[in-house]
Amino acid sequence: MNTKIEKELRELIEAQVISPEVSQNIAQYYANKSTETPNRLFTIFGVLGSLLVGLGILLILAHNWDNFSKMTKTVWAFIPLVVGQIAVGYSLFVKKSSLWKEASATFLFFAIGSSISLVSQIYNIPDSMASFLLSWIVLAAPLLYLLKSHTVAILHLIFVTAYACNIGYANSGQPWWYLAMLAYILPFYYQRFKANPSANMTTIYHWLLPLSTIICLGTFIESNDTFGMVMYVSLFGLFYNIGKLPFFNEKRLRINGYLILGSLGTTVTLLISSFRWFWEESDSMSMAISEILIVITLGILALVALIKNVKSNLKQEFNLFQIAFLAFAFIYAISSFDIITPWIATNVLVFALGIFAMRIGSQKNRFSILNYGLLIIAVLIACRFFDTDISFVMRGILFISMGAGFFLANYIMYRKQQ
Amino acid sequence: MNKLLFGIGFIVMLLLQWSLPGKMIFDQQLAVNQGIPYKFKTEPIDPSDPFRGKYVWLNYEIGSFISNDTIWPHGADLYVYLETGEDGFAKVSQISKKELNIELDYVKTKVDYAFKKEVHFSLPFDRFYMEESKAFEAEIAMASANQVQRQQNQEPTSICYALVYINGGTTRLEDVFINDVSIIEVVLQNREKEKTTIN
């Protein structure tokens, strides 16, 4: 136990603030707590160690030791794999601590990669980066459920995202296997969510899963960027509505990755769409079947989450962020007839979102949300300077008004809190 | 029962993790044992892979073929049938969208693009992995071998080619040669020459 606490306890007994029994109980509590903490620390260091050793082996093998014969190199390709498999077997059947499970699973994850990469290297096998990553992910996937390893789950998410980016952004294909690999991790996520909803690890998944999806959705955009925006706004609409479900809504904002990413994503995509050139360059009739299917699926899922939200809390006030994706879909539909109306409508929508955010901030007495709303309006006005012809004096007056608005709104809120 | 399933799952996972690299090695060995060696004229360029290390990327002379068929969509499967030419190097005999029931060896690849009856493609065995310090030197060796000829307005006489075994669509890139000397040997010879010049 910490000597500082012991000293404090002695002082408290001498000053007769607490009895010796209470002091003993407190000492016992800290003694128990300190035996738990090193365990968690050991797990973190164990995982970090395995991660670094695994990556180190990969790099050493990448050197390509051409002084060795093919046979020697082939044997070397399998040694890390065998060591990893033995360690995993040992953690599964003999030593069942989470430290062993996490560390051995992490090591085996990289050993699989090093064995495939070394065989490819020895025999000059012409695999693309994407198929190499996919083989690696698939072979390591069982570790997720056999060892219930969080590190493997995080590595799985990082690697499937890298795989999708490689296919979609570097090679202009569509990474359909990404969806299968993402679906593969969902039961694990759900189990963690049910078993330990407030754990830090579960919070990491609440952020990583939506982040991975946001990064990879762009790889499915085939025809035009305007329809890509519809895809993204639908995804953000889904995330926002998930974030508003009773479980997330009652929790602290920092664990609600869905709500924050959904709100920020909706605002940013709509701000991009608020430029006139965006609608002038759009070809609303050109869209691929796969894109339409993605929008329909995301739209239906977002609607289901919205209905669930409405049903669970009938008294809750109308929130524009929750239906912004439907409004944008309607605006996009109009764009096939006219470009001015959708341009103006998008600006009105962003402005209304800013007002709504300010209103929510004022109702909840939260400075952060109030200023978020003000920021949306400020950025919208700043953006309009690029595609509208307004005199410098007028622009100056507008900026001063915006600044004054920030001061005034925050001051009113401050007075309200007093 | 659960323990039994768990154990079976674990063993299946181990076997799967062995099976992919194992199959890769088996196919490659079969290509050498039963396949026919072909020489492909090429030019090496040295890039790097974050996991698999440095390699020379091989830019082959064979890269297109004239076809009467005009519909060759980008990314479609392509079977390139090969034969050995009079100069001893591989040349394309014919191309097809499907596997043909003929005696010739083939390489399976994808259509890059088609323009005016000319179908463009890339041969898949385009990576020759080398020890990290030698990949760049290999590229320099090839470039400088040809440069001397080009400066004297002559056609390059140094011939760089890849030796590839082909067996039923499986290919194994065995080695890359500059004037019949293995590229690794060329790099080592150049290092020796440099040492004697310095001494």
Side-chain angles (χ1 to χ4, degrees):
Chain A
M1 191 179 54
N2 197 329
T3 48
K4 201 182 165 192
I5 298 170
E6 281 173 359
K7 202 178 146 193
E8 294 285 331
L9 286 174
R10 271 200 302 273
E11 231 180 86
L12 289 169
I13 296 168
E14 277 165 21
Q16 292 185 333
V17 177
I18 55 167
S19 65
E21 288 81 39
V22 173
S23 153
Q24 215 172 354
N25 285 344
I26 295 172
Q28 189 61 45
Y29 168 76
Y30 280 109
N32 288 343
K33 201 177 171 186
S34 60
T35 51
E36 281 169 18
T37 322
N39 224 344
R40 205 182 301 156
L41 263 180
F42 273 136
T43 310
I44 294 168
F45 287 132
V47 168
L48 272 176
S50 301
L51 200 92
L52 292 171
V53 170
L55 279 169
I57 290 174
L58 254 171
L59 291 172
I60 290 170
L61 295 181
H63 170 79
N64 197 336
W65 303 85
D66 62 0
N67 293 336
F68 296 124
S69 69
K70 270 191 177 144
M71 191 57 192
T72 316
K73 286 200 276 184
T74 309
V75 171
W76 268 104
F78 285 93
I79 287 177
L81 187 68
V82 174
V83 173
Q85 288 181 338
I86 292 170
V88 163
Y90 181 69
S91 356
L92 264 179
F93 299 108
V94 186
K95 187 123 188 172
K96 294 180 177 176
S97 73
S98 70
L99 162 66
W100 263 92
K101 282 184 181 173
E102 291 290 344
S104 60
T106 309
F107 183 80
L108 183 54
F109 185 91
F110 285 103
I112 293 165
S114 70
S115 110
I116 311 171
S117 70
L118 195 55
V119 170
S120 303
Q121 191 193 77
I122 298 165
Y123 295 95
N124 297 304
I125 295 168
D127 255 355
S128 67
M129 177 57 82
S131 69
F132 167 68
L133 286 175
L134 185 63
S135 312
W136 186 349
I137 296 162
V138 169
L139 291 183
L143 288 171
L144 186 65
Y145 287 97
L146 275 177
L147 286 120
K148 297 188 171 45
S149 160
H150 291 297
T151 321
V152 171
I154 292 170
L155 287 170
H156 180 91
L157 271 174
I158 294 171
F159 274 70
V160 292
T161 309
Y163 159 78
C165 290
N166 188 279
I167 288 203
Y169 296 127
N171 291 301
S172 70
Q174 284 188 313
W176 293 107
W177 276 105
Y178 166 77
L179 298 179
M181 290 293 109
L182 196 69
Y184 177 79
I185 202 174
L186 290 181
F188 178 80
Y189 175 50
Y190 184 70
Q191 277 171 10
R192 295 293 98 194
F193 187 69
K194 279 274 164 196
N196 219 342
S198 304
N200 285 338
M201 276 315 298
T202 318
T203 304
I204 292 176
Y205 298 132
H206 295 331
W207 281 93
L208 275 186
L209 261 168
L211 266 176
S212 167
T213 325
I214 291 167
I215 294 169
C216 298
L217 183 68
T219 61
F220 292 95
I221 299 172
E222 258 189 293
S223 54
N224 70 71
D225 294 341
T226 324
F227 198 68
M229 283 296 172
V230 181
M231 288 163 72
Y232 265 108
V233 173
S234 310
L235 180 74
F236 293 131
L238 169 65
F239 286 164
Y240 192 87
N241 281 298
I242 290 175
K244 274 285 170 188
L245 287 172
F247 169 80
F248 287 108
N249 208 23
E250 288 155 12
K251 294 278 185 304
R252 292 174 68 184
L253 202 59
R254 76 173 171 84
I255 79 146
N256 203 343
Y258 292 102
L259 188 86
I260 295 175
L261 292 171
S263 172
L264 281 176
T266 304
T267 310
V268 172
T269 39
L270 288 180
L271 274 169
I272 296 169
S273 317
S274 73
F275 284 91
R276 191 179 172 138
W277 55 258
F278 178 83
W279 296 101
E280 281 171 350
E281 288 171 15
S282 99
D283 180 6
S284 59
M285 295 315 283
S286 101
M287 53 190 96
I289 293 170
S290 60
E291 291 173 332
I292 297 169
L293 282 174
I294 289 171
V295 166
I296 290 172
T297 314
L298 289 172
I300 290 171
L301 289 173
L303 271 176
V304 170
L306 177 66
I307 292 165
K308 217 167 171 185
N309 270 323
V310 174
K311 273 188 179 172
S312 66
N313 189 2
L314 288 169
K315 284 179 190 167
Q316 77 174 355
E317 284 193 32
F318 169 73
N319 183 343
L320 187 62
F321 278 92
Q322 281 179 277
I323 59 153
F325 71 99
L326 289 173
F328 190 70
F330 180 69
I331 291 170
Y332 183 80
I334 306 171
S335 71
S336 49
F337 309 107
D338 169 30
I339 59 157
I340 300 294
T341 318
W343 174 51
I344 294 169
T346 312
N347 278 278
V348 172
L349 183 60
V350 179
F351 187 76
L353 285 175
I355 299 286
F356 255 85
M358 283 170 67
R359 190 165 155 251
I360 296 168
S362 143
Q363 280 169 346
K364 291 187 173 174
N365 262 339
R366 297 277 295 268
F367 278 102
S368 54
I369 305 175
L370 175 90
N371 284 306
Y372 172 52
L374 279 165
L375 194 69
I376 294 174
I377 296 171
V379 174
L380 179 71
I381 294 171
C383 285
R384 289 299 62 77
F385 284 173
F386 293 108
D387 57 1
T388 40
D389 194 19
I390 309 173
S391 80
F392 284 108
V393 177
M394 197 61 194
R395 289 178 200 201
I397 292 168
L398 262 172
F399 266 101
I400 292 168
S401 318
M402 260 156 44
F406 265 98
F407 283 127
L408 195 68
N410 281 288
Y411 180 70
I412 293 169
M413 177 84 102
Y414 175 72
R415 289 301 296 258
K416 207 171 134 191
Q417 280 188 352
Q418 296 279 306
Chain B
M1 186 60 188
N2 261 351
K3 265 194 172 174
L4 182 73
L5 277 176
F6 201 67
I8 293 170
F10 177 67
I11 292 165
V12 169
M13 181 191 78
L14 299 192
L15 292 177
L16 277 174
Q17 287 166 359
W18 275 81
S19 65
L20 180 76
K23 190 179 179 305
M24 284 156 83
I25 296 168
F26 178 77
D27 287 346
Q28 292 296 308
Q29 209 48 52
L30 205 67
V32 171
N33 294 345
Q34 297 181 1
I36 296 166
Y38 288 89
K39 292 174 182 176
F40 292 85
K41 279 187 188 168
T42 184
E43 198 175 326
I45 299 162
D46 112 23
S48 174
D49 181 295
F51 298 109
R52 290 169 283 190
K54 288 249 176 193
Y55 59 91
V56 282
W57 179 69
L58 302 168
N59 182 21
Y60 291 103
E61 265 187 25
I62 292 178
S64 64
F65 194 71
I66 306 288
S67 164
N68 289 328
D69 194 339
T70 50
I71 303 164
W72 295 94
H74 164 74
D77 283 346
L78 180 72
Y79 293 82
V80 180
Y81 284 86
L82 301 160
E83 59 188 355
T84 304
E86 284 171 6
D87 57 356
F89 290 98
K91 66 173 194 174
V92 181
S93 166
Q94 57 180 301
I95 57 172
S96 164
K97 290 171 186 169
K98 287 179 184 168
E99 195 177 339
L100 304 173
N101 193 17
I102 53 175
E103 285 288 299
L104 294 173
D105 283 313
Y106 68 86
V107 173
K108 192 182 171 192
T109 183
K110 303 265 181 206
V111 175
D112 283 343
Y113 65 96
F115 183 68
K116 287 184 180 173
K117 290 189 174 181
E118 194 169 4
V119 184
H120 291 261
F121 54 85
S122 306
L123 292 174
F125 35 85
D126 56 0
R127 288 179 174 208
F128 183 67
Y129 290 95
M130 292 187 78
E131 192 258 282
E132 63 178 324
S133 65
K134 288 177 188 153
F136 182 62
E137 288 177 47
E139 185 200 341
I140 297 288
M142 182 62 205
S144 56
N146 284 338
Q147 203 174 13
V148 179
Q149 315 293 326
R150 286 193 186 116
Q151 277 170 355
Q152 294 164 0
N153 289 331
Q154 294 168 3
E155 274 296 300
T157 49
S158 297
I159 295 172
C160 185
Y161 67 89
L163 181 69
V164 182
Y165 286 90
I166 299 176
N167 177 43
T170 308
T171 59
R172 172 160 163 183
L173 172 56
E174 188 62 21
D175 205 345
V176 177
F177 295 87
I178 299 177
N179 293 336
D180 294 331
V181 182
S182 165
I183 200 161
I184 299 167
E185 201 53 44
V186 172
V187 171
L188 292 175
Q189 283 173 6
N190 285 352
R191 282 183 184 178
E192 276 302 311
K193 268 186 218 165
E194 262 180 46
K195 261 189 200 172
T196 35
T197 324
I198 292 164
N199 290 333

